[in-house]
Amino acid sequence: MTMKAPHLTRQDLAVELQRFHKPPEGSKRAHRSFNTAFYGFGERDRVSVQIGADSHDFEIVPVKCELELRKELGRIERENAQAAFLVDFTERLPLDLGGRLASGDLQWVSPERRLSNLFGVRGVQARLLESPLADVLLQDGRPLPPPKGVTTISLESAWRQYLSRAVGLPSEETLSEEFVLAFFATRSKALMDPEFERALDHAESGAKFAAAVDSFWAGSVGPVAALSWRSWRKGRAPHVAAMAFVLDGLKERLSHDAVRIFLEMRLQEFPSAGALDVAFLLRWAELAPKLDLRLRPPAPTRDPLVAAPAHPDHLRDILRIAEELAGTAIRPQLGASRYLAAGFDATKQALASALSAAVAGVGPDGAGSINRDDVTRALSLYQALRSHRLAEDPAKSAGLRRLDMAMRLAIYLAERPSEADLAPVGMPTEVVYRTAEHFVREGGFVDWARRLVRGGHEGDALEAAMAEVAAAADRYRDRMDELFARGLPAWNEQRKLGRLLPIEKALDRLGLEFLQAGAHRKLLILVMDGMSWASAVEILTDIAELGFRPLRWRPANPSWEGKLPPMAAAFPTMTQVSRAALFAGKLMRPGDALQTTDDPQWLQEHKGFTDLLRAGPRLLLRTDAEDETGHLKEEARKLIKRDDRAVALVLNAIDDQLSNTPGYQVQYNRHSIKALEPVLALAKESGRAILLIADHGHVQASRPHTAVDATGADSPRFRELEEGELPLPQEIVLAGPAAYTSRKSRRLAMLYRETDRYSRKKNLGEHGGASLAEVITPAILIASEDLAQTAHESDQPSLDVVSYPVPPWWDLKLTLPLQATKTDAPPEPVRDRPKARKGDENPKQGKLFELPPALAPEPEAETPSRSVWAERLTKVFAKDSGPRRDLLRKHVIPVVELLVEHGGSLSEAVFAGQLDEAPRNVGGRVAIAAEFLNEDGYAVIQHDMAGKQVILNRDLLAQLFGE
């Protein structure tokens, strides 16, 4: 029986002619003739072959019968040419013809050699020879590139190379189901190679080959990939990808009757999807988050000068199909979806319910409990909502920013001090201290959040719940303001320097003491008129991007508690009164005529500065510092660059903005305060630290206000009482020399609720009253990060900068109270440390031979342990050297307590701020803790630099160091 002649390609003949005619070792040629006959068929062509040292041109001549062979062979011989004859009509030639050809007969090329020739390799594996793919490859005959470094081609490698040409599948890409789904979902069927399509549709072998293709997808990638391939041929590959997002939302409800009916109907739309197999459906659903990453367009470049290439948003298109597949009947079951609108809406509703429940216990007076379980549930739902695909929609960004603030307020309310903590009975001055200290730590962030959370759409359940949270925070602040204001008269009678810093003492404590510490130190006193703590934290958050942060330096023996001084303005909290007290270093006497134009003279005559520098700093007011458009004037630039050790500027941008209507949306940053960034740059250039300070704060107008009818009220927030005149219930009264009035016989009455005004006119903000936001004003020493680098070596640690102490609730962290120790007795040494179970492992960390200067141990007296972890770690390392125990106590235990208290993780910014560290020292601080905690390679503590998080594995901590 005659075998069917194979199709021999030009590539086959080139390889076979070179191999066949290769001269044996020591010979010039292998055969007497270069004319060669092969059993096979093909196309007339020419091929050049390198044989030995010479190149030979062969004419490829197909012949259909013996007569044609004789004719063509005679022609070649007459022309003295060389030919490769393709013979497909017989398997053996007559002897006279054979005698005129190389080797005397037909040459046979085996399928294995032909496949090797196609890929340019030495051999092929047996599985490939036996597969339907081999027949298609040999029939096609077009050469394919081999994978890199391969000498023997496997069945899978052959499929990858063939499919690269057949459908455009990248041969170097690692195959995964999500990759295949994404590939077919975004590739047109029109791009299929026509020869591949003909092979699939061939009447005799097409079905067998199509099954082999399907088997490759199912066996080498997965069943969902095979489904995607089959659907691609039908034009429905995008629907396979879309269905993954539908199933992602239904995977927890596959046993529900409505879901089963829905899926049975939908699966009929996919070719050979099979029966309702739960394992298959779950596998399909698990591809959704991976497809999300594959299909979304790349993030735009941050370089404004580089034009980002246009990328189609395939994910948006696929999710639109997913919404169509889900329809309306199944929407109630899609509440868990992270991609479809039904999941977003359901999560919003659940979050609204949780937030409303959380603050339901806050009464009209701001007292009452917050349900922490509801806050925890709300936080989980918030994170789900924030991770939903629709949260990336720019149209939702404003609402989600308000939601961020609402969640922060909800956590704050869950952790706020109780009234009993803030206001011990019968101790009015202590109430002032405690409320002021709390306000400095957290009040600015609370006020920032309260302002931004407002402005939602009516009729939206989540917006309504956010408004409830804001209202609860408002009521709590109202109560704090009342407690603070009621204690103010007692404190203001003496205005002693203590836990509350009077504004008239601020330049002495924060400016003069800073300069006295070194003759090389230089200072800019930058007064931001009307800057409240809410404005200050917004500004400080913004300028941190420029490298300006609080200084590590503190006054000697600061009288206040905490890292930031609570400073009280002079009364009334108006510019002409309080700023004069700041610059003069003393309160203005009742009856004195006050003008802000006298402020430069007050500062020139400030006693502390005249004692140290012979004259007070030169001060430029707004008219000399800023032009009409708010930009910094040349005179101010020259002042900052002078050699004077201290200079001063007043910027009025914040106070000026307060006269706008409440509908004006204000931001406090280097863009809205135009002179700010040039001032910072010049201070950095001149090596100056900056005392960022305000003369008074202000209350916001983001809430509806109440008009208070009173006589003699020329200002919205304060008035002067005539002798014998009774105050209103909404007022507090200050008298005596520590409260300024235009006449000595009068007393000062001030409103303390932020919603009260004597005037019916409403501005963006007001001041003059006795609320925390007006009275407790910012005073923060800041500097550029490189100030310490240019300072004297002994001064470098003090002039280093640290992160601003952001409260952890701003990072959306609920506090988990640490378990207190039962005794302060000296710990017993622990001889054997418990072994950890196998878990997350990390390479062992080496010892730290040098510490950053800011982290070097300082000689301090031992302090008693405050938590079970402090006690436990002290016991574990009791045998270590004294310096090492100091390092543990000062730099490791606080890290452990902080992270345990906040769920095991914090952002770099909050971590650094809470530990009074510079941002660049976060890695060093974690490395020190890791030296103690990461025993045996276990990653108890890690610094996730990509995610900008510090993470403590609490389970490993308990296993390694727990009782």
Side-chain angles (χ1 to χ4, degrees):
M1 179 180 178
T2 301
M3 293 181 60
K4 182 179 179 180
H7 177 260
L8 299 181
T9 66
R10 187 173 180 273
Q11 171 77 5
D12 287 329
L13 295 171
V15 174
E16 292 298 323
L17 286 168
Q18 185 180 48
R19 182 194 62 79
F20 185 66
H21 289 287
K22 181 181 180 182
E25 193 73 31
S27 298
K28 291 187 177 180
R29 59 187 299 174
H31 303 285
R32 63 180 182 276
S33 173
F34 282 104
N35 293 323
T36 313
F38 292 92
Y39 183 64
F41 68 93
E43 294 75 36
R44 187 176 288 273
D45 202 349
R46 302 190 72 87
V47 64
S48 181
V49 180
Q50 188 72 27
I51 300 175
D54 302 319
S55 178
H56 294 261
D57 290 330
F58 286 85
E59 186 177 341
I60 300 173
V61 184
V63 292
K64 297 300 182 184
C65 63
E66 183 180 326
L67 182 61
E68 186 179 0
L69 175 58
R70 289 179 184 278
K71 178 181 176 182
E72 291 291 348
L73 180 57
R75 177 181 66 79
I76 292 296
E77 289 172 340
R78 288 193 302 273
E79 294 174 359
N80 196 26
Q82 297 163 165
F85 298 98
L86 298 180
V87 176
D88 64 353
F89 56 86
T90 183
E91 296 179 7
R92 184 174 294 278
L93 295 175
L95 291 177
D96 63 322
L97 279 175
R100 296 160 64 185
L101 297 168
S103 194
D105 206 348
L106 291 173
Q107 305 306 310
W108 292 65
V109 185
S110 69
E112 180 178 5
R113 283 222 309 274
R114 289 167 59 205
L115 286 172
S116 299
N117 295 340
L118 281 177
F119 289 101
V121 295
R122 294 179 183 176
V124 297
Q125 291 183 355
R127 288 181 62 225
L128 173 55
L129 284 171
E130 298 165 359
S131 73
L133 175 61
D135 296 335
V136 171
L137 288 169
L138 292 173
Q139 184 66 28
D140 186 304
R142 290 175 290 172
L144 288 163
K148 293 179 181 178
V150 168
T151 57
T152 300
I153 197 80
S154 66
L155 176 59
E156 181 159 344
S157 295
W159 274 118
R160 293 300 307 270
Q161 300 306 111
Y162 178 67
L163 289 170
S164 177
R165 181 174 66 198
V167 297
L169 185 76
S171 59
E172 300 300 323
E173 182 79 28
T174 302
L175 282 188
S176 62
E177 279 193 290
E178 71 272 10
F179 168 69
V180 172
L181 263 66
F183 174 80
F184 283 125
T186 57
R187 189 167 182 83
S188 170
K189 182 177 178 291
L191 297 175
M192 183 191 293
D193 178 46
E195 293 298 324
F196 180 46
E197 192 164 18
R198 276 192 283 274
L200 290 169
D201 295 336
H202 194 276
E204 296 180 10
S205 59
K208 185 178 180 182
F209 179 58
V213 177
D214 202 69
S215 178
F216 165 76
W217 293 119
S220 297
V221 189
V224 189
L227 176 62
S228 180
W229 150 249
R230 293 193 298 269
S231 299
W232 186 65
R233 292 195 67 195
K234 302 291 186 183
R236 288 182 58 82
H239 294 71
V240 179
M243 195 64 188
F245 293 104
V246 177
L247 289 167
D248 174 76
L250 297 174
K251 61 188 177 185
E252 303 297 333
R253 302 183 65 80
L254 292 179
S255 61
H256 193 280
D257 288 343
V259 174
R260 292 181 64 85
I261 294 170
F262 165 79
L263 291 176
E264 287 172 356
M265 176 187 69
R266 279 286 177 248
L267 290 178
Q268 294 175 11
E269 302 172 8
F270 296 94
S272 307
L276 199 64
D277 184 284
V278 172
F280 173 70
L281 295 175
L282 289 175
R283 182 184 183 116
W284 197 347
E286 287 169 1
L287 297 176
K290 300 173 184 177
L291 279 171
D292 178 9
L293 296 176
R294 287 275 183 183
L295 292 169
R296 66 172 60 232
T301 177
R302 293 186 177 182
D303 190 341
L305 301 179
V306 178
H311 293 280
D313 192 344
H314 294 302
L315 182 59
R316 178 196 59 204
D317 298 335
I318 295 299
L319 288 175
R320 185 170 57 248
I321 296 173
E323 295 283 4
E324 294 170 358
L325 287 172
T328 57
I330 205 66
R331 280 181 65 87
Q333 312 300 328
L334 283 166
S337 175
R338 295 166 288 177
Y339 303 98
L340 304 186
F344 190 80
D345 294 341
T347 305
K348 277 183 61 178
Q349 293 294 326
L351 177 54
S353 175
L355 282 176
S356 294
V359 299
V362 180
D365 59 353
S369 63
I370 291 286
N371 190 316
R372 287 180 64 92
D373 290 340
D374 286 326
V375 175
T376 302
R377 182 165 63 95
L379 186 56
S380 176
L381 290 164
Y382 161 81
Q383 290 164 346
L385 191 72
R386 262 303 194 176
S387 63
H388 196 283
R389 166 67 175 171
L390 287 179
E392 300 172 15
D393 184 353
K396 293 181 168 56
S397 60
L400 289 173
R401 281 195 297 271
R402 290 197 303 277
L403 176 60
D404 295 341
M405 296 301 173
M407 287 305 308
R408 286 166 170 153
L409 287 176
I411 299 172
Y412 165 75
L413 288 170
E415 303 191 338
R416 73 198 196 282
S418 67
E419 184 169 324
D421 293 331
L422 291 176
V425 177
M427 302 173 67
T429 305
E430 182 67 19
V431 173
V432 171
Y433 293 147
R434 293 190 187 185
T435 51
E437 288 161 357
H438 175 72
F439 184 76
V440 167
R441 289 194 308 269
E442 308 187 32
F445 289 94
V446 173
D447 286 355
W448 189 10
R450 288 196 301 138
R451 175 167 62 87
L452 294 184
V453 78
R454 307 184 200 281
H457 300 290
E458 293 185 4
D460 184 295
L462 183 55
E463 292 283 3
M466 289 158 56
E468 291 176 26
V469 173
D474 292 341
R475 295 195 297 272
Y476 181 64
R477 169 54 58 78
D478 289 344
R479 182 56 178 160
M480 284 184 62
D481 279 339
E482 182 174 5
L483 294 172
F484 172 76
R486 295 301 180 191
L488 266 183
W491 175 82
N492 197 57
E493 282 182 10
Q494 302 295 325
R495 286 188 73 93
K496 289 184 179 178
L497 176 63
R499 286 161 60 187
L500 189 57
L501 173 64
I503 196 168
E504 62 271 21
K505 303 294 184 184
L507 293 185
D508 290 310
R509 289 295 272 149
L510 299 176
L512 282 167
E513 283 196 33
F514 175 78
L515 292 172
Q516 287 167 346
H520 57 283
R521 289 186 176 183
K522 298 169 72 177
L523 181 67
L524 167 63
I525 302 167
L526 181 59
V527 179
M528 303 291 289
D529 192 355
M531 178 176 64
S532 67
W533 270 105
S535 311
V537 296
E538 192 173 353
I539 290 170
L540 288 164
T541 302
D542 178 61
I543 64 175
E545 297 178 7
L546 301 177
F548 281 84
R549 293 183 169 87
L551 278 176
R552 184 182 297 281
W553 180 86
R554 302 281 188 273
N557 303 314
S559 53
W560 55 84
E561 296 182 358
K563 300 166 186 173
L564 300 170
M567 183 178 75
F571 299 109
T573 52
M574 298 298 290
T575 299
Q576 64 269 29
V577 175
S578 198
R579 199 163 77 191
L582 169 68
F583 289 137
K586 59 184 180 181
L587 293 177
M588 299 297 100
R589 294 174 300 181
D592 285 349
L594 300 182
Q595 293 181 338
T596 56
T597 53
D598 294 333
D599 289 345
Q601 185 65 30
W602 286 122
L603 186 56
Q604 282 278 307
E605 297 172 358
H606 187 287
K607 186 176 186 306
F609 281 107
T610 55
D611 290 346
L612 178 67
L613 306 176
R614 297 185 179 179
R618 186 183 175 199
L619 166 67
L620 291 183
L621 299 178
R622 175 183 60 178
T623 52
D624 297 317
E626 301 172 90
D627 63 21
E628 293 179 354
T629 63
H631 292 89
L632 196 66
K633 281 187 176 181
E634 184 61 27
E635 186 179 356
R637 294 175 184 271
K638 291 179 180 178
L639 177 68
I640 299 173
K641 291 194 283 187
R642 286 172 60 160
D643 292 333
D644 299 25
R645 291 191 60 199
V647 294
L649 286 179
V650 173
L651 298 183
N652 275 70
I654 295 176
D655 207 34
D656 289 346
Q657 289 175 349
L658 299 181
S659 61
N660 286 296
T661 60
Y664 180 72
Q665 184 69 350
V666 177
Q667 291 183 327
Y668 301 109
N669 53 43
R670 62 187 187 273
H671 304 296
S672 60
I673 305 171
K674 298 174 185 177
L676 180 58
E677 189 166 1
V679 166
L680 297 176
L682 290 165
K684 176 180 177 180
E685 180 184 329
S686 305
R688 292 187 186 277
I690 301 172
L691 176 55
L692 183 65
I693 194 166
D695 48 1
H696 57 79
H698 66 267
V699 289
Q700 304 170 357
S702 55
R703 300 168 62 185
H705 83 252
T706 303
V708 177
D709 292 327
T711 59
D714 297 326
S715 174
R717 296 283 293 168
F718 78 94
R719 66 189 181 108
E720 295 183 7
L721 300 179
E722 297 289 351
E723 188 174 353
E725 184 179 358
L726 296 177
L728 299 172
Q730 301 95 319
E731 299 172 325
I732 65 163
V733 177
L734 302 181
Y740 176 84
T741 53
S742 60
R743 296 180 186 175
K744 293 182 180 180
S745 60
R746 293 182 177 180
R747 293 167 297 153
L748 180 65
M750 295 181 293
L751 299 173
Y752 59 84
R753 293 190 183 92
E754 65 181 8
T755 55
D756 289 347
R757 305 283 190 280
Y758 293 120
S759 170
R760 296 187 182 277
K761 181 183 176 182
K762 190 172 184 182
N763 292 329
L764 185 66
E766 300 288 1
H767 54 92
S771 71
L772 282 159
E774 294 163 285
V775 176
I776 305 303
T777 54
I780 314 161
L781 268 164
I782 65 172
S784 168
E785 287 179 339
D786 58 4
L787 180 65
Q789 298 172 14
T790 60
H792 188 274
E793 184 177 347
S794 63
D795 211 16
Q796 284 175 349
S798 293
L799 296 187
D800 197 7
V801 298
V802 297
S803 287
Y804 187 85
V806 180
W809 57 262
W810 192 258
D811 206 27
L812 297 170
K813 294 291 183 182
L814 265 169
T815 301
L816 307 172
L818 288 167
Q819 183 181 349
T821 55
K822 297 180 180 178
T823 176
D824 291 335
E828 293 294 329
V830 175
R831 301 187 181 277
D832 297 318
R833 300 178 191 172
K835 297 294 183 183
R837 298 190 298 271
K838 287 293 181 183
D840 234 356
E841 296 190 8
N842 210 27
K844 288 187 177 181
Q845 305 237 349
K847 298 293 181 184
L848 300 174
F849 297 100
E850 295 184 7
L851 300 178
L855 299 180
E858 302 170 2
E860 290 182 10
E862 288 285 340
T863 55
S865 299
R866 292 180 298 168
S867 73
V868 292
W869 283 115
E871 180 178 323
R872 181 60 184 160
L873 290 172
T874 302
K875 288 181 180 179
V876 168
F877 295 100
K879 290 185 177 180
D880 286 11
S881 65
R884 190 165 161 81
R885 292 199 306 272
D886 281 344
L887 200 63
L888 172 75
R889 177 173 55 83
K890 297 170 188 173
H891 296 298
V892 178
I893 288 174
V895 167
V896 172
E897 291 178 332
L898 177 66
L899 291 171
V900 168
E901 191 177 12
H902 296 98
S905 68
L906 282 174
S907 68
E908 289 178 346
V910 174
F911 178 84
Q914 290 295 306
L915 294 174
D916 205 27
E917 283 295 354
R920 63 178 178 275
N921 286 342
V922 168
R925 192 70 179 259
V926 174
I928 292 172
E931 183 182 330
F932 284 84
L933 303 178
N934 289 4
E935 293 201 343
D936 300 325
Y938 288 93
V940 176
I941 189 168
Q942 300 178 68
H943 181 201
D944 176 8
M945 289 183 285
K948 296 186 176 181
Q949 294 277 317
V950 179
I951 301 167
L952 180 77
N953 189 321
R954 293 180 296 167
D955 292 336
L956 279 177
L957 179 72
Q959 292 167 28
L960 283 165
F961 300 103
E963 292 289 356

